[in-house]
Amino acid sequence: MKSVEQKVFPYLLLAPTLVIFGLFLFFPAINGMWISLTKWDGVNPQKFIGIQNYVKLLSDRSFWGSFFRTIFFTAVSVPFVYVSSLGLAVLLTGNIKGSDFFRAVFYWPTMISSIIVGLTWRFLLGEDFGVINYLLTSWGKVPVKWLTDQNNAMGVVIFVTAWSMSGYYMVMFVSGIKSISETYYEASRIDGAGAWHQFRYITLPLLKPTSLLVIVLSTVTIIKTYPLVYALTQGGPAGATKFMVQAIQETGFEKNQMGYASAMTMILFLLLAMFTVLQFKINKGGEQDAD
């Protein structure tokens, strides 16, 4: 039987981490739930109002507009990031000269502040002073309203988001691909399998754990996206790229409705939890079908 020291010692090792998690994760979460049940401007004493903030949310068209835009943005961006990062990883783990250089090039955007990324692309895509429109005009083409047209702005935000994130997840896929034993590929080549069949029946199935990690992390990151989008479009035009995090920030810090903003945050938390659980369920179901 284990002695008392053996039973207690692991918990002593975990204690610092548990304290940090409690102070910076669990306590703020619980406090946020409490604030969502109050009317508070961030300065004066809190007034408990129960679920009135949540009832108000049900008829808040502005909030639900940002909610569904966030869903759409995430649903399109995550597959875009997944495919681009996986594609880059497959290409750069092949027999390509200078693959290390290209990995560094594609990873480079992830090391730049998201605000700088947004401002840089805003400089490139600006309607009147943008570099790309200047080039189009010099070639006799009509300037494009990249950021001021509602039909174009969302596509630009999705593209820039994928551009800035793909390199990070590419590194994960590169590590996953390199961990696959070469024996599988040698056996498939003996059986006459081509590159596509190797990718479909060997690489993709064995990358399932990495794929799940990439999808979950990118989903959480994209749902919480704010600095890049704000620097690029400021939520415009006419709110076409205004997502939940910006709506929460404006409600809490510009309108001084901290209780109402906390209720919005709880909805955002539930959305993140729902996406994460859904991804794990899908992955688990796929593994059971494979068995």
Side-chain angles (χ1 to χ4, degrees), residues 49-236:
I49 58 174
I51 62 171
Q52 288 185 28
N53 285 326
Y54 294 96
V55 173
K56 182 180 177 182
L57 275 177
L58 294 177
S59 58
D60 190 338
R61 292 186 178 181
S62 177
F63 169 75
W64 289 109
S66 67
F67 177 87
F68 288 113
R69 279 191 295 272
T70 302
I71 295 290
F72 176 80
F73 173 58
T74 304
V76 177
S77 297
V78 170
F80 196 179
V81 170
Y82 177 86
V83 171
S84 59
S85 58
L86 177 59
L88 290 172
V90 171
L91 288 174
L92 296 179
T93 51
N95 296 321
I96 297 178
K97 292 183 179 180
S99 59
D100 291 338
F101 169 76
F102 287 111
R103 278 183 215 165
V105 170
F106 290 126
Y107 185 77
W108 171 71
T110 67
M111 298 186 291
I112 306 174
S113 166
S114 56
I115 295 176
I116 300 301
V117 171
L119 291 174
T120 300
W121 279 98
R122 187 178 180 87
F123 171 73
L124 292 172
L125 298 172
E127 182 176 352
D128 297 321
F129 304 101
V131 174
I132 293 177
N133 273 344
Y134 172 78
L135 294 174
L136 289 175
T137 303
S138 64
W139 294 335
K141 305 295 182 179
V142 178
V144 178
K145 297 180 179 180
W146 300 105
L147 303 176
T148 56
D149 184 277
Q150 294 186 29
N151 296 322
N152 295 332
M154 180 65 79
V156 169
V157 169
I158 291 171
F159 170 77
V160 174
T161 298
W163 178 86
S164 66
M165 294 174 60
S166 294
Y168 179 79
Y169 298 110
M170 173 198 71
V171 173
M172 293 186 183
F173 278 123
V174 167
S175 299
I177 292 172
K178 287 193 171 184
S179 68
I180 299 174
S181 174
E182 184 63 26
T183 305
Y184 295 110
Y185 296 104
E186 291 176 356
S188 66
R189 282 192 288 268
I190 293 173
D191 291 338
W196 167 246
H197 285 86
Q198 289 178 349
F199 174 74
R200 181 178 178 183
Y201 295 107
I202 298 175
T203 306
L204 268 183
L206 294 178
L207 280 178
K208 275 189 176 181
T210 306
S211 295
L212 176 64
L213 179 64
V214 168
I215 291 172
V216 170
L217 291 179
S218 61
T219 298
V220 172
T221 302
I222 289 171
I223 288 177
K224 297 189 300 180
T225 297
Y226 172 65
L228 186 151
V229 177
Y230 189 79
L232 184 61
T233 65
Q234 296 181 341

